[in-house]
Amino acid sequence: MPGFELFSDLERKEVNDVLDNGVLMRYGFDGMRNGHWKAQELEKLLSETLQTKHVQLVSSGTAAVSVALASAGIGAGDEVIMPTFTFVASFEAVMMLGAVPVLVDIDDTLTLDPNAVIKAITPKTKAVMVVQMCGSMGDMDKLGEICSDNKLIFIEDACQAIGGFYNNKPLGSIADLGCFSFDFVKTITCGEGGAVITNKKEYYLNADHFSDHGHDHIGNDRGAESHPFLGYNFRISELNAAVGIAQARRLPEFVAIQKRNYTIIKDALSHLPNVEFRRVPKGGEESYAFLSFYLPDLETARNVSNAFKTNGVDACFHYYDNNWHYIRKWEHLKEQKSLFPISEEVKDGLKYLDTKIFEQSDAYIARNISCLIKLSWSEEEVKARAQKMADIIVDIV
Ligand SMILES: Cc1ncc(COP(=O)(O)O)c(C=O)c1O
């Protein structure tokens, strides 16, 4: 991660196909296309790769989460349980529909704690959204069970974990609906883009129509199509999809490189007595996009993180102090700073954030460092980096 590091003639060829016929839109203009339907081709490829019947490409991962929730009928006043450690897109996507994000603690997997999920369920709860952060996953069996016992929709945000597996199923394909991002920094990039995947035809058709103004996409006269319900524009363009085709074909190559680089660094750190790796649930296979580990306490993690930065070990994140991924710095959410009025239901629903303390999440995130695994590193570079990381940790801890 990220796939842009290895851009090649493969991506250029796909983009040139689109530019050669000039149709940048995924729908319509059948006569001009010379048979090029890049978004459709990428959907088919992802459906095979992710072993899931239906794929709807959209304009971003954030759009994918909103479209997935909307497709399952989640909206005004409904509560969606999600983790405290995620990207801001998770609550943005929920709130865009007028639903209420209910943040709960993570555990040593760095994703949803099933016990925290159970405690947060109320009569208003409609969905549980696990976010497969930093290339790994939650306890999917337990979370799935909680959802089926309580008749809740199970959403899987696998934006950061494409290429990982749980019990031999691709991450993103396990819950009722899965979401992916293909933004510029993801393992597979389209520049901007995302996908909703599902085995349920009804959800898929909803996603297909909702992401294109409610169009039913029947026939080949766009102006004559009917609109079974309201929608928006979350379409991907053919140019973005073209880049994604080349990248998606290269997923096995990218994951193999990630695994090699991850393993070199993990081996170098695994003999250090004060380093503990994140728990990967039994049956889980990471995507190797990040290596995440815990140090003994907050102060040590801060010192190691700073020493990494000053010694040129880039792309390692201490999320406790990071304002994109952890609740501690989300003042705009806690204070409900919005350009436009937020509904009373959402305001009320977010009141818990005035007082709620996430001690368990704090304890894990304070001690955690997650290091991005890059694709462009040579084996020698990774070995040198691994040694430097180990030396810094030994020096500080
Ligand atoms: C876990 C997670 N969900 C959603 C998103 C949103 O994706 P996008 O940037 O494509 O909107 C991201 C992006 O980083 C993410 O990491």
Short mmCIF file of all heavy atoms in Angstrom, two decimals, residues 155-204:
data_model
loop_
_atom_site.label_atom_id
_atom_site.label_comp_id
_atom_site.label_asym_id
_atom_site.label_seq_id
_atom_site.Cartn_x
_atom_site.Cartn_y
_atom_site.Cartn_z
N ILE A 155 -22.37 -4.49 8.58
CA ILE A 155 -21.64 -3.79 7.52
C ILE A 155 -20.15 -3.96 7.79
O ILE A 155 -19.70 -3.85 8.93
CB ILE A 155 -21.95 -2.27 7.52
CG1 ILE A 155 -23.45 -2.00 7.59
CG2 ILE A 155 -21.26 -1.53 6.39
CD1 ILE A 155 -24.16 -1.86 6.30
N GLU A 156 -19.41 -4.20 6.72
CA GLU A 156 -17.96 -4.41 6.87
C GLU A 156 -17.22 -3.37 6.04
O GLU A 156 -17.26 -3.40 4.81
CB GLU A 156 -17.66 -5.83 6.35
CG GLU A 156 -16.30 -6.33 6.68
CD GLU A 156 -16.07 -7.72 6.09
OE1 GLU A 156 -17.04 -8.33 5.54
OE2 GLU A 156 -14.94 -8.20 6.16
N ASP A 157 -16.56 -2.45 6.72
CA ASP A 157 -15.73 -1.46 6.03
C ASP A 157 -14.33 -2.06 5.88
O ASP A 157 -13.57 -2.13 6.85
CB ASP A 157 -15.70 -0.15 6.83
CG ASP A 157 -14.79 0.90 6.22
OD1 ASP A 157 -13.90 0.53 5.43
OD2 ASP A 157 -14.94 2.09 6.56
N ALA A 158 -14.04 -2.50 4.66
CA ALA A 158 -12.73 -3.12 4.41
C ALA A 158 -11.85 -2.19 3.57
O ALA A 158 -10.98 -2.64 2.82
CB ALA A 158 -12.92 -4.47 3.72
N CYS A 159 -12.09 -0.89 3.71
CA CYS A 159 -11.36 0.10 2.90
C CYS A 159 -9.85 -0.03 3.06
O CYS A 159 -9.09 0.26 2.15
CB CYS A 159 -11.80 1.52 3.27
SG CYS A 159 -13.47 1.91 2.73
N GLN A 160 -9.41 -0.43 4.27
CA GLN A 160 -7.97 -0.52 4.53
C GLN A 160 -7.47 -1.97 4.50
O GLN A 160 -6.37 -2.23 4.97
CB GLN A 160 -7.64 0.06 5.90
CG GLN A 160 -7.88 1.54 6.01
CD GLN A 160 -7.25 2.15 7.26
OE1 GLN A 160 -6.51 1.49 7.99
NE2 GLN A 160 -7.54 3.40 7.52
N ALA A 161 -8.28 -2.89 4.02
CA ALA A 161 -7.90 -4.29 4.21
C ALA A 161 -8.11 -5.17 2.98
O ALA A 161 -8.21 -6.39 3.11
CB ALA A 161 -8.66 -4.86 5.41
N ILE A 162 -8.15 -4.59 1.80
CA ILE A 162 -8.35 -5.44 0.62
C ILE A 162 -7.17 -6.42 0.50
O ILE A 162 -6.02 -6.03 0.72
CB ILE A 162 -8.54 -4.61 -0.69
CG1 ILE A 162 -9.09 -5.52 -1.80
CG2 ILE A 162 -7.25 -3.91 -1.13
CD1 ILE A 162 -9.70 -4.78 -2.95
N GLY A 163 -7.49 -7.67 0.22
CA GLY A 163 -6.43 -8.69 0.10
C GLY A 163 -6.30 -9.55 1.35
O GLY A 163 -5.59 -10.54 1.34
N GLY A 164 -7.00 -9.17 2.45
CA GLY A 164 -6.98 -9.98 3.66
C GLY A 164 -8.12 -11.00 3.64
O GLY A 164 -9.05 -10.89 2.83
N PHE A 165 -8.02 -11.99 4.52
CA PHE A 165 -9.04 -13.06 4.57
C PHE A 165 -9.43 -13.37 6.01
O PHE A 165 -8.66 -13.13 6.94
CB PHE A 165 -8.48 -14.35 3.95
CG PHE A 165 -8.36 -14.30 2.46
CD1 PHE A 165 -7.25 -13.73 1.85
CD2 PHE A 165 -9.37 -14.80 1.65
CE1 PHE A 165 -7.14 -13.66 0.47
CE2 PHE A 165 -9.27 -14.74 0.27
CZ PHE A 165 -8.15 -14.18 -0.32
N TYR A 166 -10.61 -13.93 6.17
CA TYR A 166 -11.04 -14.48 7.45
C TYR A 166 -11.73 -15.80 7.14
O TYR A 166 -12.69 -15.83 6.35
CB TYR A 166 -12.02 -13.52 8.14
CG TYR A 166 -12.53 -14.01 9.47
CD1 TYR A 166 -11.75 -13.93 10.62
CD2 TYR A 166 -13.80 -14.58 9.58
CE1 TYR A 166 -12.22 -14.38 11.84
CE2 TYR A 166 -14.28 -15.03 10.80
CZ TYR A 166 -13.47 -14.94 11.93
OH TYR A 166 -13.94 -15.39 13.14
N ASN A 167 -11.24 -16.88 7.73
CA ASN A 167 -11.75 -18.21 7.41
C ASN A 167 -11.90 -18.41 5.90
O ASN A 167 -12.95 -18.84 5.41
CB ASN A 167 -13.10 -18.45 8.11
CG ASN A 167 -12.91 -18.65 9.61
OD1 ASN A 167 -11.81 -18.94 10.06
ND2 ASN A 167 -13.98 -18.49 10.37
N ASN A 168 -10.85 -18.06 5.19
CA ASN A 168 -10.76 -18.21 3.73
C ASN A 168 -11.73 -17.34 2.93
O ASN A 168 -11.85 -17.53 1.72
CB ASN A 168 -10.95 -19.68 3.31
CG ASN A 168 -9.87 -20.55 3.90
OD1 ASN A 168 -8.70 -20.16 3.90
ND2 ASN A 168 -10.25 -21.70 4.45
N LYS A 169 -12.39 -16.42 3.59
CA LYS A 169 -13.26 -15.50 2.82
C LYS A 169 -12.56 -14.14 2.74
O LYS A 169 -12.04 -13.66 3.75
CB LYS A 169 -14.59 -15.30 3.53
CG LYS A 169 -15.52 -16.46 3.43
CD LYS A 169 -16.87 -16.03 3.98
CE LYS A 169 -17.85 -17.17 3.98
NZ LYS A 169 -19.01 -16.89 4.80
N PRO A 170 -12.61 -13.49 1.57
CA PRO A 170 -11.97 -12.18 1.47
C PRO A 170 -12.59 -11.18 2.45
O PRO A 170 -13.83 -11.16 2.61
CB PRO A 170 -12.28 -11.75 0.03
CG PRO A 170 -12.59 -13.00 -0.70
CD PRO A 170 -13.19 -13.94 0.30
N LEU A 171 -11.76 -10.38 3.10
CA LEU A 171 -12.32 -9.33 3.97
C LEU A 171 -13.18 -8.43 3.10
O LEU A 171 -12.85 -8.12 1.95
CB LEU A 171 -11.19 -8.54 4.64
CG LEU A 171 -10.34 -9.32 5.64
CD1 LEU A 171 -9.28 -8.41 6.27
CD2 LEU A 171 -11.19 -9.98 6.74
N GLY A 172 -14.29 -8.00 3.66
CA GLY A 172 -15.26 -7.19 2.90
C GLY A 172 -16.42 -8.03 2.41
O GLY A 172 -17.50 -7.51 2.13
N SER A 173 -16.18 -9.37 2.32
CA SER A 173 -17.23 -10.23 1.74
C SER A 173 -18.02 -11.00 2.80
O SER A 173 -18.88 -11.79 2.47
CB SER A 173 -16.59 -11.25 0.79
OG SER A 173 -15.92 -12.26 1.52
N ILE A 174 -17.70 -10.75 4.09
CA ILE A 174 -18.24 -11.61 5.14
C ILE A 174 -19.59 -11.11 5.67
O ILE A 174 -20.50 -11.90 5.93
CB ILE A 174 -17.20 -11.73 6.28
CG1 ILE A 174 -15.92 -12.34 5.70
CG2 ILE A 174 -17.74 -12.58 7.44
CD1 ILE A 174 -14.66 -11.94 6.40
N ALA A 175 -19.72 -9.82 5.82
CA ALA A 175 -20.95 -9.24 6.38
C ALA A 175 -22.04 -9.13 5.31
O ALA A 175 -21.87 -9.60 4.18
CB ALA A 175 -20.63 -7.88 6.98
N ASP A 176 -23.16 -8.50 5.67
CA ASP A 176 -24.26 -8.36 4.69
C ASP A 176 -23.83 -7.47 3.51
O ASP A 176 -24.22 -7.70 2.37
CB ASP A 176 -25.48 -7.72 5.36
CG ASP A 176 -26.03 -8.60 6.46
OD1 ASP A 176 -26.21 -9.80 6.20
OD2 ASP A 176 -26.25 -8.11 7.58
N LEU A 177 -23.07 -6.44 3.85
CA LEU A 177 -22.56 -5.52 2.81
C LEU A 177 -21.12 -5.16 3.15
O LEU A 177 -20.79 -4.95 4.33
CB LEU A 177 -23.38 -4.22 2.79
CG LEU A 177 -24.82 -4.34 2.33
CD1 LEU A 177 -25.75 -3.69 3.33
CD2 LEU A 177 -25.00 -3.69 0.97
N GLY A 178 -20.28 -5.09 2.13
CA GLY A 178 -18.88 -4.70 2.35
C GLY A 178 -18.57 -3.42 1.60
O GLY A 178 -19.18 -3.13 0.56
N CYS A 179 -17.64 -2.64 2.14
CA CYS A 179 -17.29 -1.35 1.53
C CYS A 179 -15.78 -1.27 1.29
O CYS A 179 -15.00 -1.67 2.16
CB CYS A 179 -17.67 -0.19 2.45
SG CYS A 179 -19.37 -0.24 2.98
N PHE A 180 -15.42 -0.73 0.14
CA PHE A 180 -14.01 -0.54 -0.19
C PHE A 180 -13.76 0.88 -0.66
O PHE A 180 -14.65 1.52 -1.22
CB PHE A 180 -13.60 -1.50 -1.33
CG PHE A 180 -13.55 -2.93 -0.88
CD1 PHE A 180 -14.68 -3.73 -0.98
CD2 PHE A 180 -12.40 -3.46 -0.33
CE1 PHE A 180 -14.65 -5.04 -0.54
CE2 PHE A 180 -12.36 -4.77 0.11
CZ PHE A 180 -13.48 -5.56 0.00
N SER A 181 -12.52 1.34 -0.43
CA SER A 181 -12.07 2.62 -0.96
C SER A 181 -10.93 2.34 -1.93
O SER A 181 -10.07 1.50 -1.66
CB SER A 181 -11.54 3.50 0.17
OG SER A 181 -10.74 4.55 -0.37
N PHE A 182 -10.96 3.07 -3.04
CA PHE A 182 -9.83 3.01 -3.98
C PHE A 182 -9.24 4.40 -4.13
O PHE A 182 -8.90 4.84 -5.23
CB PHE A 182 -10.29 2.44 -5.34
CG PHE A 182 -10.98 1.10 -5.21
CD1 PHE A 182 -12.28 0.92 -5.67
CD2 PHE A 182 -10.33 0.04 -4.60
CE1 PHE A 182 -12.91 -0.30 -5.53
CE2 PHE A 182 -10.96 -1.19 -4.45
CZ PHE A 182 -12.25 -1.36 -4.92
N ASP A 183 -9.20 5.14 -3.01
CA ASP A 183 -8.62 6.49 -3.08
C ASP A 183 -7.12 6.37 -3.32
O ASP A 183 -6.57 5.28 -3.42
CB ASP A 183 -8.99 7.34 -1.85
CG ASP A 183 -8.27 6.94 -0.58
OD1 ASP A 183 -7.21 6.30 -0.65
OD2 ASP A 183 -8.76 7.31 0.52
N PHE A 184 -6.44 7.51 -3.39
CA PHE A 184 -5.06 7.53 -3.89
C PHE A 184 -4.08 6.73 -3.03
O PHE A 184 -3.05 6.28 -3.51
CB PHE A 184 -4.60 8.98 -4.03
CG PHE A 184 -3.32 9.13 -4.81
CD1 PHE A 184 -3.17 8.54 -6.05
CD2 PHE A 184 -2.26 9.85 -4.28
CE1 PHE A 184 -1.98 8.66 -6.77
CE2 PHE A 184 -1.07 9.98 -4.99
CZ PHE A 184 -0.94 9.39 -6.24
N VAL A 185 -4.40 6.56 -1.74
CA VAL A 185 -3.41 5.91 -0.87
C VAL A 185 -3.75 4.46 -0.53
O VAL A 185 -3.14 3.87 0.37
CB VAL A 185 -3.19 6.71 0.44
CG1 VAL A 185 -2.56 8.05 0.14
CG2 VAL A 185 -4.49 6.89 1.22
N LYS A 186 -4.69 3.87 -1.23
CA LYS A 186 -5.08 2.50 -0.91
C LYS A 186 -4.25 1.47 -1.72
O LYS A 186 -3.64 1.82 -2.72
CB LYS A 186 -6.57 2.29 -1.18
CG LYS A 186 -7.45 3.14 -0.26
CD LYS A 186 -7.26 2.80 1.21
CE LYS A 186 -8.19 3.58 2.13
NZ LYS A 186 -7.87 4.99 2.29
N THR A 187 -4.30 0.21 -1.27
CA THR A 187 -3.52 -0.85 -1.92
C THR A 187 -3.84 -0.92 -3.41
O THR A 187 -2.97 -1.10 -4.25
CB THR A 187 -3.79 -2.21 -1.24
OG1 THR A 187 -3.45 -2.09 0.14
CG2 THR A 187 -2.97 -3.32 -1.86
N ILE A 188 -5.14 -0.81 -3.72
CA ILE A 188 -5.55 -0.67 -5.12
C ILE A 188 -6.15 0.71 -5.25
O ILE A 188 -7.07 1.05 -4.52
CB ILE A 188 -6.66 -1.69 -5.47
CG1 ILE A 188 -6.06 -3.07 -5.59
CG2 ILE A 188 -7.36 -1.32 -6.75
CD1 ILE A 188 -7.11 -4.10 -5.88
N THR A 189 -5.61 1.52 -6.15
CA THR A 189 -6.17 2.86 -6.29
C THR A 189 -6.80 3.08 -7.66
O THR A 189 -6.35 2.52 -8.66
CB THR A 189 -5.11 3.95 -6.03
OG1 THR A 189 -5.73 5.22 -6.12
CG2 THR A 189 -3.95 3.88 -7.00
N CYS A 190 -7.86 3.91 -7.66
CA CYS A 190 -8.46 4.41 -8.91
C CYS A 190 -8.20 5.92 -8.99
O CYS A 190 -8.77 6.59 -9.84
CB CYS A 190 -9.98 4.21 -8.89
SG CYS A 190 -10.53 2.52 -8.95
N GLY A 191 -7.42 6.47 -8.09
CA GLY A 191 -7.32 7.93 -7.90
C GLY A 191 -8.35 8.30 -6.86
O GLY A 191 -8.02 8.65 -5.73
N GLU A 192 -9.60 8.20 -7.23
CA GLU A 192 -10.75 8.27 -6.29
C GLU A 192 -11.73 7.19 -6.72
O GLU A 192 -11.97 7.02 -7.91
CB GLU A 192 -11.46 9.62 -6.34
CG GLU A 192 -10.64 10.83 -5.92
CD GLU A 192 -10.40 10.95 -4.41
OE1 GLU A 192 -10.89 10.10 -3.65
OE2 GLU A 192 -9.70 11.90 -4.02
N GLY A 193 -12.30 6.50 -5.76
CA GLY A 193 -13.29 5.48 -6.10
C GLY A 193 -13.60 4.61 -4.90
O GLY A 193 -12.92 4.70 -3.86
N GLY A 194 -14.62 3.80 -5.04
CA GLY A 194 -14.99 2.90 -3.95
C GLY A 194 -15.93 1.84 -4.48
O GLY A 194 -16.33 1.87 -5.66
N ALA A 195 -16.28 0.89 -3.63
CA ALA A 195 -17.20 -0.17 -4.05
C ALA A 195 -18.03 -0.66 -2.88
O ALA A 195 -17.57 -0.69 -1.75
CB ALA A 195 -16.43 -1.34 -4.65
N VAL A 196 -19.28 -1.02 -3.22
CA VAL A 196 -20.15 -1.72 -2.27
C VAL A 196 -20.29 -3.13 -2.81
O VAL A 196 -20.55 -3.31 -4.01
CB VAL A 196 -21.56 -1.07 -2.24
CG1 VAL A 196 -22.48 -1.84 -1.30
CG2 VAL A 196 -21.47 0.39 -1.85
N ILE A 197 -20.10 -4.13 -1.93
CA ILE A 197 -20.27 -5.51 -2.41
C ILE A 197 -21.30 -6.22 -1.53
O ILE A 197 -21.41 -5.94 -0.33
CB ILE A 197 -18.94 -6.29 -2.45
CG1 ILE A 197 -18.40 -6.59 -1.04
CG2 ILE A 197 -17.89 -5.54 -3.25
CD1 ILE A 197 -17.23 -7.56 -1.04
N THR A 198 -22.04 -7.14 -2.14
CA THR A 198 -23.06 -7.87 -1.38
C THR A 198 -23.50 -9.11 -2.17
O THR A 198 -23.41 -9.15 -3.40
CB THR A 198 -24.29 -6.96 -1.10
OG1 THR A 198 -25.23 -7.70 -0.31
CG2 THR A 198 -24.96 -6.47 -2.37
N ASN A 199 -23.99 -10.10 -1.45
CA ASN A 199 -24.58 -11.26 -2.13
C ASN A 199 -26.09 -11.12 -2.25
O ASN A 199 -26.73 -11.98 -2.84
CB ASN A 199 -24.23 -12.54 -1.36
CG ASN A 199 -22.79 -12.94 -1.62
OD1 ASN A 199 -22.34 -12.94 -2.77
ND2 ASN A 199 -22.04 -13.23 -0.58
N LYS A 200 -26.64 -10.05 -1.67
CA LYS A 200 -28.10 -9.87 -1.71
C LYS A 200 -28.49 -9.01 -2.90
O LYS A 200 -28.12 -7.82 -2.97
CB LYS A 200 -28.55 -9.15 -0.43
CG LYS A 200 -28.99 -10.07 0.67
CD LYS A 200 -29.89 -9.33 1.62
CE LYS A 200 -30.47 -10.29 2.63
NZ LYS A 200 -31.35 -9.64 3.55
N LYS A 201 -29.27 -9.59 -3.79
CA LYS A 201 -29.63 -8.85 -5.01
C LYS A 201 -30.37 -7.55 -4.70
O LYS A 201 -30.14 -6.52 -5.34
CB LYS A 201 -30.48 -9.74 -5.92
CG LYS A 201 -30.70 -9.11 -7.25
CD LYS A 201 -30.88 -10.10 -8.35
CE LYS A 201 -30.90 -9.35 -9.67
NZ LYS A 201 -31.44 -10.13 -10.74
N GLU A 202 -31.23 -7.60 -3.70
CA GLU A 202 -32.02 -6.40 -3.36
C GLU A 202 -31.10 -5.24 -2.94
O GLU A 202 -31.27 -4.10 -3.41
CB GLU A 202 -32.96 -6.75 -2.21
CG GLU A 202 -33.87 -5.62 -1.79
CD GLU A 202 -34.47 -5.86 -0.41
OE1 GLU A 202 -34.43 -7.01 0.09
OE2 GLU A 202 -34.96 -4.87 0.17
N TYR A 203 -30.12 -5.53 -2.10
CA TYR A 203 -29.19 -4.46 -1.69
C TYR A 203 -28.41 -3.94 -2.89
O TYR A 203 -28.16 -2.75 -3.02
CB TYR A 203 -28.20 -4.98 -0.64
CG TYR A 203 -28.80 -5.31 0.71
CD1 TYR A 203 -28.09 -6.11 1.61
CD2 TYR A 203 -30.04 -4.83 1.11
CE1 TYR A 203 -28.61 -6.42 2.87
CE2 TYR A 203 -30.57 -5.15 2.35
CZ TYR A 203 -29.85 -5.94 3.23
OH TYR A 203 -30.35 -6.25 4.46
N TYR A 204 -28.01 -4.88 -3.76
CA TYR A 204 -27.22 -4.48 -4.93
C TYR A 204 -28.04 -3.54 -5.84
O TYR A 204 -27.56 -2.49 -6.26
CB TYR A 204 -26.76 -5.70 -5.72
CG TYR A 204 -26.37 -5.36 -7.12
CD1 TYR A 204 -25.26 -4.54 -7.36
CD2 TYR A 204 -27.13 -5.77 -8.21
CE1 TYR A 204 -24.92 -4.16 -8.65
CE2 TYR A 204 -26.80 -5.40 -9.49
CZ TYR A 204 -25.69 -4.60 -9.70
OH TYR A 204 -25.37 -4.22 -10.98
#
